[in-house]
Amino acid sequence: MKKSKKPITHHTPPPWMLDAAGQAGAKLQQAGIRLTLGGEPTYVPLQPVGAEWSYAAVGPKKLSYAKAVAKKLRHGSLRGAAEFFCPGKLYPGEVNPRWAIKLIANKDGTPVISTPKATHSKSGINEFGDAICRSLGVASHWVSFTDPNAHGSHVLAMPLDHDGSQWLSAPWPIKKHLRTLLPAEGPSGLRLPLQHFPENVTRRVLSIEWRGPTPSVFFPPLLQSAFLELLAAVNAASPFAGDKPPSLEGYVPSDELGIWTVLGVTADPGVLEINLPACDSWADYAKWLTEVT
């Protein structure tokens, strides 16, 4: 007879601990001291197998666990959050940056994105890219690239930047025999041949990769206000991306406007690490620890 698995229980702090935390927080507030707490709880499977659960930061199954955690949070306390697959930390001796999944939720509870339903009979990477440009009010300067790691994958890239008042795009006069992504691991936006860029063109590049039923959009480094405009443009263009919303990748800016709750699920040696949002009180910190256990 198989033994039944014990249900997972959530352990909330006892009342005396919450009371003590509240009193300590009140005294700090009275003294004019602002308290901020951060946490990085780590997890491993019940039956960890392989180097990724021993000493390696990444491996064949860790990302699937991370996506499962992110999905659970997006259907729970971070409902309406946008999910970004981001380049993480790069340490000496490691060829590629570690990945991180970042969940961005609005503090006011409104969805970060609300993808419109597909209403266009014709969809594809070119239509999707042109729709983004129309929404941003820039000319389409897309260049097609070949991915040596994914036969049949379609990749478009275009120089795109924001100067604080308007969007700027420009042609990328790269010769056809050089339009190949670097043969490394990771999203297309990290493997562009930027060494073949002219000196007078911004090195910020927006890229789209269609490697499955829907495209992936790689966001270049941007300030938060421009990032939000680009996110809205991608959202508005999503009806040209097929039946499902596009995947989001790239760089997530800091929360300069103070409007987000950001949680990360990251690869770390031997474990899956949860980067909790910054908490202003012990009660908030306890709530997040309970949420992710």
Side-chain angles (χ1 to χ4, degrees):
M1 179 181 295
K2 293 183 179 180
K3 295 182 179 179
S4 60
K5 294 183 179 179
K6 294 182 179 179
I8 297 176
T9 57
H10 296 278
H11 300 285
T12 58
W16 68 264
M17 187 178 292
L18 293 175
D19 181 60
Q23 292 183 39
K27 289 183 178 180
L28 289 172
Q29 188 175 12
Q30 291 173 2
I33 300 173
R34 184 184 176 187
L35 176 68
T36 302
L37 297 96
E40 296 179 346
T42 57
Y43 299 89
V44 296
L46 294 176
Q47 296 180 338
V49 176
E52 61 186 330
W53 304 116
S54 177
Y55 61 87
V58 297
K61 295 184 177 181
K62 188 173 288 186
L63 181 57
S64 63
Y65 279 94
K67 289 183 176 179
V69 171
K71 182 178 180 180
K72 181 178 180 181
L73 290 168
R74 284 191 295 105
H75 288 83
S77 58
L78 291 177
R79 188 176 299 274
E83 179 178 322
F84 272 80
F85 181 81
C86 307
K89 297 177 182 178
L90 178 62
Y91 288 89
E94 296 180 352
V95 178
N96 299 303
R98 300 172 184 176
W99 49 258
I101 294 178
K102 291 189 177 180
L103 300 178
I104 305 170
N106 286 328
K107 289 182 179 179
D108 62 6
T110 60
V112 175
I113 52 175
S114 54
T115 307
K117 293 183 179 179
T119 57
H120 302 274
S121 58
K122 187 177 182 180
S123 63
I125 190 169
N126 293 298
E127 290 77 15
F128 179 56
D130 290 342
I132 294 175
C133 290
R134 286 195 300 271
S135 184
L136 294 176
V138 298
S140 293
H141 294 297
W142 296 106
V143 180
S144 180
F145 286 84
T146 300
D147 187 351
N149 295 345
H151 179 71
S153 176
H154 300 282
V155 179
L156 295 180
M158 182 182 76
L160 182 71
D161 203 354
H162 196 281
D163 66 359
S165 60
Q166 63 179 346
W167 288 98
L168 306 172
S169 68
W172 185 354
I174 182 172
K175 296 180 180 180
K176 288 187 176 180
H177 72 279
L178 298 175
R179 298 179 184 180
T180 302
L181 301 183
L182 301 178
E185 295 181 2
S188 61
L190 294 179
R191 299 189 288 124
L192 294 168
L194 298 181
Q195 70 272 25
H196 301 300
F197 237 81
E199 294 184 1
N200 60 342
V201 177
T202 174
R203 287 180 177 269
R204 287 190 172 92
V205 181
L206 177 67
S207 63
I208 304 172
E209 183 174 4
W210 205 300
R211 56 175 179 263
T214 57
S216 298
V217 185
F218 190 94
F219 283 52
L222 295 166
L223 295 178
Q224 189 178 24
S225 57
F227 175 90
L228 289 171
E229 288 185 23
L230 180 55
L231 184 61
V234 172
N235 184 53
S238 61
F240 293 91
D243 296 330
K244 295 183 178 180
S247 299
L248 304 175
E249 302 174 337
Y251 295 92
V252 174
S254 59
D255 184 22
E256 303 170 51
L257 303 175
I259 60 174
W260 288 343
T261 296
V262 181
L263 182 144
V265 186
T266 63
D268 212 44
V271 298
L272 186 64
E273 182 178 277
I274 310 297
N275 304 127
L276 298 180
C279 302
D280 293 328
S281 67
W282 274 294
D284 191 28
Y285 184 58
K287 179 195 72 130
W288 276 110
L289 286 178
T290 302
E291 178 67 27
V292 298
T293 55

